[in-house]
Amino acid sequence: MQFISLTLKRVGFGVVLLLIVLILNFFLMHLAPGDIADTIAIDAGGADEEMMDAIRKDYGLDLPIWEQLLKYLAKVAVLDLGYSFYYNISVTDLILERLPATLLLVISAQLLAITVGVVLGVIAARNPQGITSHFVTVLALVGYSAPVFWTGIMLIILFSSILPIFPIGGLMDVSIEREGFAKMLDILHHLVLPSITLASIFVALYSRLARASMLDVLGSDYVRTAKAKGLSEFLVVYKHALRNALLPVVTMAGMVFSGVISGAVLVETVFSWPGLGTLAVQAILARDTPTILGILFFSSFVVVVANLLTDMLYRIIDPRIRTSND
Amino acid sequence: MARQAIIYIIQTRGVSMIKIIFKFISLTSISIFTASIIVAETPKHGGTLVWSIGTTPRHLNPAVQSGIATGEPGAQLFATPLRFDENWNPQPYLAKSWEISVDGLTVTLNLEEDATFHDGEPITSKDVKFSINTIKANHPFKTMFTAVKKIETPDKHTAVIKLSKPHPALLLALSSQLGAIIPEHIYGDGQDAKKHPRNSDKVVGSGPFKLVEFVRDQHIILERYDGYFIKERPYVDKIVIRIIKDPAARALGRKNGEILLSTFESTPQDINHSKQISYLTASDKGYAAIGPITWLAFNTKSKPTSDKRVRQAIAYAVDRDFLVNAVMMGTSLPAYTGFHPGSVFHDPNVERYDLDLDKANTILDEAGYARASDGTRFKLNIDFGWPAARSMAEYIKPQLKKIGIDVTVRQSPDFPSWAKRISTWEFDMTVDVVFNWGDPVIGVHRTYLCNNVKKGVIWSNTQQYCNPEVDAILEKAGMENNQQKRVSLYSQAQKIISQDLPIYFTHTVPYHTIYNHTKLGNPPSTIWGTSSPLDEIYLK
C-alpha cells in the first residue's frame, strides 16, 4: 500500500515538475534576444520587414506572451507538442526521429561505463594501496577531467586518421546501401568511438564509487562471516560483497541516465551523431521554442520515469527495502 | 607548338644554341604533359560522390528559401531557366534561348522541349509562370521579381515575362539557387508554399538529381535523374551530402578519403592545412556570385561614429593587409568596396584608407577629440556575433588604442542575439558579413538605400546611412541594361560610398571548396560554384 501511495506521490511531483520546467523555459526562451523570424532571416541571408511580420503572425508570436503560454500549455495537456517553427514538422515526430540515436549512444555508453567502472573499482578495492589501485584512480581521473570533445577529437585522430579503423562520425555509412545484419554491424562500427568517448567521463564516476563502497562492504561483518565459512575469495567478492556494493552504483546510474541528454550534446556534435542533443542545440540557436520545449518536456519526463525505475530496481537488488516498505 | 618554339628562338637570339635546344625540349615535354592530362580528363559515368556541408537545411525548396544550406542541394534538385559560366555570362539551361526587348520591358524565354520533372511530367511555360509567381510571393529576396508585372504563356515552351521597368538583375535571379522551377502540379495545390510538406519529403524536382532521402542533421542522398534533359549528364550516379557540423571532423574525413568534396570551408587553418596534402585541392573559385564580404560597419547615427572624420580615422588605423595576411592567413582577398572582388562591377580604384596612424591621429586632433590625461579620446564598443569574427575584433581593439580610442569588445552569446543588437541599432561598430547574392540589386543595394533603414531587420541598412545621390545612382544602375553603362554607374557609387565611409570594407570571407583531385574531375568553377547544378562533375 505504502508503495502505491509513494508512487502516486512521485507521479504527482513529476507532473508539477514538468509544468514548472515548461513555464520556466518558455519565459527563458522569450528572454533570449531574437526570435524565429530573426533566425529565418539569418538563414535566408536577409529578408524584408513584411516577411518577418508575416512569420511572427503565422507562428502566433504577435500575441501577448501570456496568451502564447496558455495556448501552448493547453496543447501540451492533450500531449500535443506542436509544430517546429524551424523545420515545419510536428515536434513529436522530430523527437521520435532523433530519440533512437541518442538512446543507442547513451545506453551503450552507460553499459560500457558501468561494466568497466565496476570491474576497475573492484580490482582497485581488493588491494587499495597497490599499484593497480593507483593506476585505476589516475586513469579514471584523466578520463573524467579531459573535456569530452577533446577526448572525441583525439580518438578520431587516433582511430580514424592515423589508424583508419573507425569512421569519423555519423550514424551509418550512407554511400553504400545495406540491409539487416550488415546495416546493424555498420551502425555498431560507427557507435564504437562515440560510446567510448561518452563512457570515458562516467568510468571515473563508477569506478570510484564501486571502489569506495566495495571497501566499505568488504570490511563488514557478513563478509568476515562468509570468509570464515571458508568460501573462496572469488565467491566472497563477487557474490556476497559486490551485490551490496552495487547499490550506490545503481542510484548513480539512475541519476546520470536522466541527465544524459545534456551530457551527450558535445559527443553528438563531435561525431555528427544525429541525436536529441544536436537537435536541442540547433533549436536553441534557431529560437525554435516549440522544439526546445518539447525536448525539455521529454527529458524531464525521462527524469521522472528514471527515478521511479531506480526505486524499483533498488527493491530488487536489496531485499531489505522490499520487506521494510511493503 | 612549333610556331611558339620558333618565336621563342627568335626572341632569345644570342643565347647559346644548346640552351635554346634545351628550352625547346622542355617546352615540348611540358606541352606533351599537358596534352596527356587533357586526354585523361574525359568525363566518366558512374560512382558516388560524397560531399560534406556544415549546416542542415530547413528544407530543400529554394523557391521559397534562400541561403546556402538550401541552395546547394536545391540547385541539384531544381533546374533554373539560366545558368552562368565563370565569367558572369548567362548560359542556356531550361531556357535554350532568350531575348530581351529593346526597351528592356519584355524578356522571352524559349524552353527546352523535352525537359521533364522527376515524376516524368513535362516542364512547361505554365510551370515557369507558377514558379516565378511563387518565388515573388514567398522568397525573402523581394527585389528579384518585384519588377515582374505579369508572365504570358503563348505556348507550352514560351514564357514571356513583362516587366514594369528594365530589370537587368532578372537574368541572375533566373539562375542557380534563386530561380528554381518547381512543378505546379505538386506545389499548386493551395497549401502555403513556405510550409509545403513536399519541400523536404518526396521532392519532385527539375534538376539533374532526384531526392532519395533527406534526414535532418545527417544526410541528403541524391540519385542521378535518368530523364534529365541534357543528354549524357549528369556523370555521377549518386551524391551523398553528409551534414557534418564540426570542421575538424570534416578535415579528417577529407584526409582519410571518406569525403571527396567539402564546400563553404572558411577556417584559414583548415584551408591552409588542406593545401599541404598532396591529394587535396583548396580553391576559392565558385563564390563570386554569393560574394561574401567581411567588413567593419559603423552606426552612422550614434555619436561619435556619426562623425565621418571619426570613421575615417578608424579606417586609417585598421590595417587591411594585416587582416588579410595575418588574421586570415592569406586565405582571403582584400575587399575595397561592398562589391565582391570577383564581381564584374567591383571597382578597386576607390579611397582605400591604407594604414596611416599619424593621419588617423591628426584627423581626430583636428576634429577636436582631444586626448584625456590617460591618452584616451573616447570609448567605443565593437560587436561580433560568431566565433570566427573574434580575431578581427580582438585585433581592432589594440589598434585603435594607438589613436586614443578605448574599445570594448562585445561578444554576443549567439548569432540571433547579435542580429537583434545590430538590427535594433544598439551598437557603435560591428564586424559584419554580407553576401552580394548575384546581382547588386539583390544583395548590394540593400546596404545603402535610404528607404531600407528598417529597424529589426538584419542585413538591411543597419548603418542607417543615407545619401540621396547614392540612392539615385543605384536606382539608375538597377535599371540599366547596357552593361558598360551599368559598370560605370556602380563605379561612381563605390567611389562616393568609400568617401562617406558608412562601412570600412576589409576582406572576403575565405570560402573554399576543398576536394580530392585524384578522385574528382571537373570541380565546379562557375560563379555559383556548388550552388549550381553539378552535372559536369565526375569521378575518376
Side-chain angles (χ1 to χ4, degrees), chain A residues 44-45 86 98 160 169 282 287, chain B residues 58 66 217 245 256 414 446:
Chain A
Y86 195 73
R98 300 303 187 90
S160 306
Q282 174 92 19
R287 304 287 188 266
Chain B
R58 277 186 83 206
S66 54
D217 283 319
K245 292 188 179 161
N256 74 9
D414 60 11
R446 57 179 176 167

Side-chain angles (χ1 to χ4, degrees), chain B residues 146-158:
Chain B
T146 34
V148 174
K149 244 186 354 195
K150 62 174 176 182
I151 299 158
E152 288 164 4
T153 52
D155 65 61
K156 274 174 106 172
H157 302 293
T158 312

